[in-house]
Amino acid sequence: MSIFIDQSTTVCVQGITGKEGRFWTEHMIELGTRVVCGVTPGKEGQTVADRPVYNSVKKAVENHDIEASMLFVPPRFTKDAVFEALEAGIKKIVTIGDGIPLHDMVAIRQKAKEHDAMVVGGNTSGVISPKLAMMGSFPHWIERVYKKGNIGVMTRSGSLTNEVTSMVVEAGYGVSTLIGVGGDPVPGTRFAEFLDMYEQDEETKAVVIIGELGGTMEEEVAEAIKEKRFTKPLVAFLGGRTAPKGQKMGHAGAIISGGKGSVEDKIEALTEAGALVAERPRLVGELLEELNVPKT
Amino acid sequence: MKLFEYQAKEVFKETAIPVPNSVLIESEKELEQAIETVKTPCVVKSQVLSGGRGKAGLVVFTKTKEDAQAETKRLFSLEQNIKQILIEEAVNIKQEIYVSITVDPYLAKALLIVSKEGGVDIETLASESPEKIVKEPIDMREGLMPYQASRVAYDLGFSKEISKQLKKIFLKLYHIFVKYDAELVEINPLFITQDDTVVAGDGKLMIDDNSMFRQQRFEMQQSDYKSEAEFDAAQEGIPFIEFDGDIGLMCAGAGLTTTVYDLIHYEGGTIANYLEFGGPNYKKAVESMEICLKVPSKVILVVTFGTIARADVMATGIVDAIKRLQPDRPIVTCIRGTNEEEAVKILEDAGLEPIFDTEEAVRKAVKIAQGGSK
C-alpha cells in the first residue's frame, strides 16, 4: 500500500502539452501512474502519450473520472490553475512550480481548505510511491533513492531528500510514499496534515521527515506525536543547525515565528515528543534500526 | 527584496501614514541644506539593510548642527561603505509601539501584529513576553476590516484619540502589504508623541521575491550591494551569502546546501560563501563559479544530488566553467542524481576526481582548506 497515490489513482495533467509537462507525463506513465487525460487551453483534440487533451478541467471531468490533478504550470499562473482544479471538484492537487507569489500561496491554501482538498507544493518534486505511481518530476529509475519499502518520507527539500533517502536505502530500507511538501514559506499542505494518512497506512512502519530551519512545521509534527495523533516511529533530519541567527538561509521559513523556528527549538520539540533527530543524513538509517523498524 | 528605510517611508508618505520630515543625503556637503529643512535636534540614520542599526551606532540622535556634521562624517567614512544617510527631524516621544503585517502560513491569512512595546526586536519580545503582543488574523479576500483595526487599538488600552489614528495607520499598512506583495511591512518603533500624534519612526518593507515580475517599482542598484559577487548573484537570481571563512560552497538545492554548510562546521572547517545553483539555476555553473571565484577562498566544494537538475548537465557546466575561468584554487566535486553515470565520465575526462559521498567530499575540502594535500 501507499498513501496519496498508487497505480489506481486517476490523474489529469494540467499543462500537459508543455515541454516539461510532456516529458514528465511520459515518465509518470512509465512508472505505472494512471494518467487519463490532460488539459491545455486551446489544445483540445491533441493527444500526449495517447491521452486526450481538453481545453478546461471542467471538460476533462465531464469526460473522465479524475481523482487527482498534476500541474506543470508556470508559477505566475499556478493560482489560476489550482482554482480551476478545485472548482472542478478535484481533491488532490500537486503543483511543482518554483516561484509562486507568496500571496497567491495564501489564497491557494485557503481555498483548498474550504474545498476539503489537499494541494501539495509548490516548489517541490511532488509525490511518489516507488514502483507504483508518481505525480511530479522524480527520476524514479534511480534505485538507490526510489526503492520500494515501508518508510514514509516527508520533505521540504529536493536535493537533500535524495541525499537522506539514499542513506535510508543504503541502510536496507525502502520508501512507501515520499511527499515533497515544498520549500516555500506557505506550502499548500503541511507535514502534520499528512501524518494521519501515514498512521492509517498498514505498509508504512515509520516516517522520516526532512526539515530545515524556519517555520513551525516540525513543531506541529512534534505536537501530533505528543497528542498521540501519530504513534509510529519517527526520525527527523534537520538542516541548518549551524546557520547564523537571523540569516535567511536555505528555503525561506516563516517570517515571524514568535520565537520558534530555530533548529534547536525543533530538536527540542521533537525529542521531547519521543521522535529521534539525526545529526547527519548518514545517521537516519541507523536511528530507524535503533527504533527496531523492520526492513521488510 | 528588502527596501531601505527611506524607500519604505516614501511609500508610507504616499499612503498618508505620517512620517517625520527628512532629507536623504549622499555626501557631507548636502548636510547643511538638509539641516535647514529638518532643523536640529535631528537623527542621523545610515541607510543600510541590516537590522540593529541603533545598537551598531549607525543611527544617532544629535542635538546640534556640529554634532550632526561630526556623525555624518564618521558614518560616511566607515569601512562598510555607507552610501546614503537620512537626516530626520527629532520627535518628542511619549511612547514607542510595534506594528507589522505579515503572513501566517498555517492559517493561510495575513496577520496584523501589534505590541505596546516598540523599539525592541519582535522575535525577542515574542519569545520573552508573548502576552504583550496582539495578533489579528486577516482574511485576505475581505482584507483588514475597520472594526478589526479599531478593536486591536482599543484592546491594547489606547485612548480614543490615539486609537482613531492607529486604526487609520493599520488600514493603510494593510493596503501597502497587498499593493506591494509584501512578505513583511513593519513600523518599529511607531511613535506616539507628547502631543498625542502617531508618527512612523522607522519603516521596513520586504517585497516577496517571487512577486517581482508584478512589482517593478523598486530595483536594486549595484551600489546597494555589499560586494560585486553579491550583486552578480542577485542579477542571476542565485541565492548567495558571503562569509569570511575558507571554503566556497557551490551546491544545488537549498536544503542540501544548508546541510553541507552544517557538515563543514562539524568537521572544523569554515565557509567563504553559500551559493545555491539548483532549481531553475542548474544550468548556470559558469556564472556560479565566476561568482565563487570573486570571493577569497582556498577551495570550492561542489555538491549536488539533483533530479530535474540533471547530474550530466551540471557536470558539463562545471567542466566548461573550469576551462573558461581557469580557477586558481582546487575544486572538489560530488555530483549525483539523474544521469550520474555520464556525469562521472564527464568529470573524469576533464581530470577531476568525482566523489560519491557528501561527507567524504566535505572532509576532503576541509583538509585542503587546512593546508592538507590536494
Side-chain angles (χ1 to χ4, degrees):
Chain A
M1 271 190 9
S2 56
I3 71 162
F4 200 85
I5 183 169
D6 61 23
Q7 68 281 23
S8 70
T9 314
T10 49
V11 177
C12 157
V13 177
Q14 289 175 255
I16 196 169
T17 57
K19 198 177 149 200
E20 216 184 328
R22 203 177 277 271
F23 179 79
W24 288 108
T25 297
E26 279 162 10
H27 281 303
M28 281 162 59
I29 293 167
E30 181 189 277
L31 178 64
T33 316
R34 208 170 147 204
V35 176
V36 293
C37 65
V39 170
T40 300
K43 301 276 169 80
E44 191 161 307
Q46 296 187 11
T47 59
V48 172
D50 293 330
R51 270 67 176 176
V53 179
Y54 299 96
N55 281 336
S56 69
V57 180
K58 188 165 176 279
K59 195 82 180 281
V61 295
E62 281 165 11
N63 288 281
H64 302 268
D65 178 28
I66 299 168
E67 289 167 66
S69 189
M70 175 67 223
L71 271 62
F72 292 101
V73 172
R76 65 178 74 178
F77 308 123
T78 297
K79 179 180 153 189
D80 190 48
V82 171
F83 275 38
E84 188 186 2
L86 288 169
E87 295 281 322
I90 297 173
K91 302 290 183 203
K92 289 177 183 172
I93 297 164
V94 176
T95 175
I96 64 164
D98 181 0
I100 302 169
L102 180 70
H103 292 196
D104 287 7
M105 271 317 303
V106 170
I108 287 170
R109 177 165 160 84
Q110 187 179 36
K111 186 97 170 168
K113 277 179 153 187
E114 271 175 17
H115 283 253
D116 207 16
M118 279 183 144
V119 175
V120 182
N123 193 6
T124 174
S125 299
V127 180
I128 181 168
S129 302
K131 301 289 166 216
L132 298 178
M134 71 174 185
M135 290 172 73
S137 50
F138 296 94
H140 57 84
W141 54 90
I142 297 187
E143 282 276 342
R144 68 187 173 104
V145 180
Y146 305 104
K147 191 184 157 202
K148 189 167 166 45
N150 55 21
I151 308 294
V153 179
M154 285 193 284
T155 175
R156 289 165 67 178
S157 181
S159 301
L160 180 58
T161 308
N162 295 336
E163 177 82 29
V164 175
T165 311
S166 70
M167 297 298 174
V168 171
V169 170
E170 207 177 292
Y173 291 97
V175 174
S176 57
T177 301
L178 184 154
I179 295 178
V181 302
D184 284 344
V186 182
T189 311
R190 304 168 71 79
F191 279 164
E193 292 163 342
F194 291 104
L195 286 176
D196 201 32
M197 294 165 94
Y198 281 122
E199 178 80 6
Q200 304 298 325
D201 179 40
E202 278 175 28
E203 186 187 13
T204 301
K205 301 294 182 211
V207 166
V208 168
I209 63 168
I210 301 165
E212 249 175 89
L213 72 165
T216 55
M217 278 205 292
E218 294 81 1
E219 285 87 339
E220 290 156 30
V221 168
E223 198 68 21
I225 300 171
K226 241 179 162 171
E227 291 170 1
K228 310 257 183 264
R229 282 182 279 133
F230 184 74
T231 60
K232 293 180 180 179
L234 189 133
V235 174
F237 173 78
L238 307 168
R241 281 190 193 226
T242 63
K245 257 200 151 59
Q247 184 72 62
K248 219 172 162 181
M249 193 185 278
H251 295 106
I255 299 103
I256 288 174
S257 40
K260 293 182 188 171
S262 76
V263 174
E264 298 94 85
D265 292 330
K266 292 175 192 298
I267 293 172
E268 200 186 310
L270 286 164
T271 313
E272 206 185 298
L276 296 185
V277 183
E279 197 197 23
R280 299 164 187 245
R282 180 168 295 289
L283 299 177
V284 173
E286 279 179 31
L287 292 181
L288 288 170
E289 284 172 337
E290 211 172 286
L291 289 166
N292 292 317
V293 178
K295 294 189 177 173
T296 47
Chain B
M1 173 177 156
K2 198 170 167 183
L3 299 186
F4 289 101
E5 177 195 2
Y6 78 90
Q7 292 171 314
K9 281 186 168 166
E10 249 171 53
V11 172
F12 290 175
K13 214 171 161 181
E14 287 164 15
T15 321
I17 292 175
V19 293
N21 282 324
S22 67
V23 176
L24 185 72
I25 63 168
E26 290 181 352
S27 70
E28 275 179 73
K29 281 184 300 190
E30 297 167 57
L31 180 70
E32 181 106 25
Q33 211 176 352
I35 286 186
E36 260 174 48
T37 314
V38 300
K39 307 285 184 291
T40 51
C42 65
V43 190
V44 179
K45 309 174 99 174
S46 314
Q47 296 301 291
V48 293
L49 294 175
S50 49
R53 288 182 301 165
K55 267 188 211 158
L58 300 177
V59 170
V60 194
F61 174 84
T62 58
K63 274 188 179 161
T64 63
K65 190 171 141 186
E66 290 68 34
D67 286 353
Q69 273 165 337
E71 286 301 335
T72 305
K73 189 171 180 183
R74 177 182 70 85
L75 292 171
F76 272 133
S77 59
L78 286 178
E79 199 182 317
Q80 65 196 97
N81 200 8
I82 291 159
K83 305 282 190 341
Q84 290 159 318
I85 293 177
L86 193 67
I87 307 296
E88 193 172 76
E89 158 196 22
V91 174
N92 284 314
I93 306 157
K94 188 159 84 182
Q95 190 182 351
E96 295 185 350
I97 63 176
Y98 173 94
V99 53
S100 72
I101 298 175
T102 183
V103 156
D104 185 315
Y106 180 80
L107 294 176
K109 288 182 172 171
L111 202 60
L112 169 67
I113 304 171
V114 187
S115 165
K116 279 189 95 160
E117 258 178 45
V120 288
D121 172 36
I122 190 66
E123 290 287 1
T124 312
L125 195 66
S127 59
E128 284 165 13
S129 28
E131 73 285 351
K132 287 180 179 156
I133 299 170
V134 173
K135 291 180 184 171
E136 181 75 21
I138 305 162
D139 187 319
M140 289 188 68
R141 286 168 305 192
E142 272 118 51
L144 178 63
M145 298 297 286
Y147 78 85
Q148 291 179 291
S150 148
R151 185 174 66 199
V152 168
Y154 283 111
D155 279 356
L156 281 164
F158 289 108
S159 69
K160 186 180 170 191
E161 180 63 27
I162 302 288
S163 293
K164 278 166 81 177
Q165 295 178 62
L166 286 178
K167 172 187 156 185
K168 277 190 194 156
I169 289 174
F170 297 163
L171 290 168
K172 284 169 182 160
L173 213 54
Y174 182 73
H175 175 79
I176 293 170
F177 176 77
V178 173
K179 185 176 174 189
Y180 289 95
D181 271 299
E183 273 179 42
L184 173 74
V185 55
E186 180 187 86
I187 308 177
N188 183 29
L190 179 63
F191 294 136
I192 297 174
T193 66
Q194 296 290 351
D195 54 2
D196 278 350
T197 56
V198 184
V199 183
D202 198 352
K204 196 189 268 182
L205 179 54
M206 283 168 73
I207 300 173
D208 167 39
D209 287 330
N210 289 349
S211 302
M212 290 312 287
F213 69 92
R214 59 189 185 200
Q215 294 294 342
Q216 274 128 6
R217 171 167 173 182
F218 295 101
E219 259 180 50
M220 294 290 277
Q221 308 296 321
Q222 179 154 8
S223 58
D224 296 338
Y225 293 88
K226 273 186 259 162
S227 67
E228 201 183 317
E230 214 175 60
F231 173 73
D232 291 350
Q235 292 304 301
E236 292 289 346
I238 296 172
F240 173 84
I241 311 166
E242 205 169 323
F243 299 100
D244 51 11
D246 293 334
I247 302 170
L249 294 189
M250 182 174 152
C251 305
L256 185 59
T257 313
T258 306
T259 299
V260 171
Y261 180 97
D262 287 341
L263 291 171
I264 286 177
H265 283 130
Y266 295 164
E267 297 295 337
T270 56
I271 315 285
N273 68 270
Y274 169 107
L275 181 147
E276 194 260 297
F277 75 122
N281 294 319
Y282 80 98
K283 289 177 184 161
K284 292 185 182 168
V286 176
E287 293 85 345
S288 298
M289 191 169 290
E290 205 166 0
I291 293 164
C292 283
L293 289 171
K294 283 182 181 167
V295 181
S297 67
K298 292 181 180 155
V299 55
I300 293 173
L301 172 60
V302 183
V303 181
T304 77
F305 206 144
T307 51
I308 299 182
R310 276 163 40 197
D312 56 326
V313 174
M314 293 176 115
T316 307
I318 302 285
V319 169
D320 197 23
I322 290 173
K323 272 185 200 147
R324 275 205 246 171
L325 303 168
Q326 302 284 326
D328 54 357
R329 58 202 90 167
I331 316 276
V332 175
T333 55
C334 180
I335 297 177
R336 288 119 342 133
T338 310
N339 294 352
E340 60 189 20
E341 305 76 13
E342 279 171 57
V344 168
K345 207 177 164 302
I346 293 163
L347 293 172
E348 278 173 350
D349 286 351
L352 287 159
E353 199 186 307
I355 296 173
F356 261 113
D357 181 83
T358 303
E359 287 195 41
E360 192 189 329
V362 165
R363 281 193 296 271
K364 186 170 176 188
V366 171
K367 198 173 166 195
I368 293 172
Q370 289 170 348
S373 68
K374 290 177 186 178

